[in-house]
Amino acid sequence: MRIAENEWGRLMAAAQEGQAAAYRQLLDELRRWLNRFYARRLPPAFVEDAVQDTLIAIHEKRHTYDPERPFKPWLIAVARYKWIDRLRAID
């Protein structure tokens, strides 16, 4: 079942509280979104690595998300940094 993007923050807050099912659901949703995000910005051969790098970064930085703030800008900031890293690797 797909979750609306406006529910991602709720899932991340639940994940921060240790709810593994919410975290799995969130990561599944984010994987799909990140694939589309990077498919518009990177050559096809680099998309999957960028998605994986970003999911790892989200996992490592999940404690920095503030549930009182919107989730998508936080996500886009993480994805943008990983996109720039991937562009540097292409050169």
Side-chain angles (χ1 to χ4, degrees):
M1 179 175 80
R2 300 219 35 187
I3 300 296
E5 290 180 12
N6 62 351
E7 291 293 311
W8 292 352
R10 180 186 59 76
L11 290 173
M12 178 59 98
Q16 288 173 323
E17 293 174 2
Q19 295 181 26
Y23 195 42
R24 278 191 303 277
Q25 188 174 16
L26 176 64
L27 293 178
D28 286 344
E29 292 290 323
L30 296 183
R31 178 185 309 280
R32 286 191 282 271
W33 186 87
L34 290 166
N35 269 304
R36 292 188 305 274
F37 179 86
Y38 290 123
R40 293 187 302 266
R41 292 167 174 81
L42 292 170
F46 292 91
V47 171
E48 184 58 30
D49 285 344
V51 170
Q52 292 300 317
D53 288 348
T54 306
L55 290 173
I56 290 167
I58 288 167
H59 179 73
E60 291 173 343
K61 300 295 182 187
R62 68 189 182 280
H63 67 280
T64 67
Y65 171 66
D66 178 357
E68 298 297 319
R69 302 183 61 100
F71 179 79
K72 198 162 181 187
W74 181 86
L75 168 64
I76 291 171
V78 175
R80 184 176 176 276
Y81 284 115
K82 290 302 173 181
W83 172 48
I84 292 167
D85 288 349
R86 191 55 51 183
L87 288 175
R88 288 182 183 135
I90 292 172
D91 290 340

